[in-house]
Amino acid sequence: MRKTLIPAALATTMMLGGCATALGGGLLGDILGGNDQYGETRFERAAVQACANEASRYGRVEIRDVDQISRDIVRVRGDIRRDYRNSRFECDFRSDGRIVDFDVD
């Protein structure tokens, strides 16, 4: 298992919202193959997009780390910034494109 920090450019993109459209645009067909220029797989990027989109329902999202915990599951951790309260979240994303666990503290 490996732990990866999200590059600032990708993390900034996650804070802007509107992340779910990439999943509907054919990314799931390519989700398990290839690495991008930062060494992140498409699977990890899809996990970040889906989890950040879910977390954005609660406030502004900042991704802290991404960890592939099994062949089929990536765990995304981050912070949710709100006007009155900050929280952390943890999200498990499965290779079939579904979020299988999402927790906010």
Side-chain angles (χ1 to χ4, degrees):
M1 305 309 152
R2 74 183 172 93
K3 195 172 198 176
T4 308
L5 293 177
I6 300 299
L10 182 58
T12 302
T13 302
M14 295 301 103
M15 289 187 281
L16 296 176
C19 304
T21 56
L23 289 176
L27 182 58
L28 289 177
D30 297 328
I31 205 165
L32 293 176
N35 291 338
D36 68 6
Q37 64 187 5
Y38 301 108
E40 296 157 337
T41 65
R42 291 180 185 146
F43 182 24
E44 290 168 330
R45 284 187 314 214
V48 168
Q49 290 176 341
C51 291
N53 188 52
E54 182 69 20
S56 70
R57 295 174 36 204
Y58 302 97
R60 187 173 52 105
V61 175
E62 295 177 16
I63 301 300
R64 285 187 292 122
D65 62 61
V66 177
D67 188 17
Q68 188 157 354
I69 60 172
S70 75
R71 179 177 177 206
D72 294 324
I73 296 181
V74 169
R75 180 166 291 149
V76 177
R77 292 180 192 91
D79 298 311
I80 300 170
R81 307 287 184 206
R82 307 180 221 189
D83 291 337
Y84 60 94
R85 181 177 169 216
N86 295 324
S87 301
R88 291 189 172 205
F89 74 91
E90 186 172 281
C91 174
D92 290 348
F93 181 80
R94 198 168 54 198
S95 61
D96 65 359
R98 297 191 59 176
I99 293 174
V100 292
D101 189 25
F102 186 86
D103 296 313
V104 176
D105 66 0

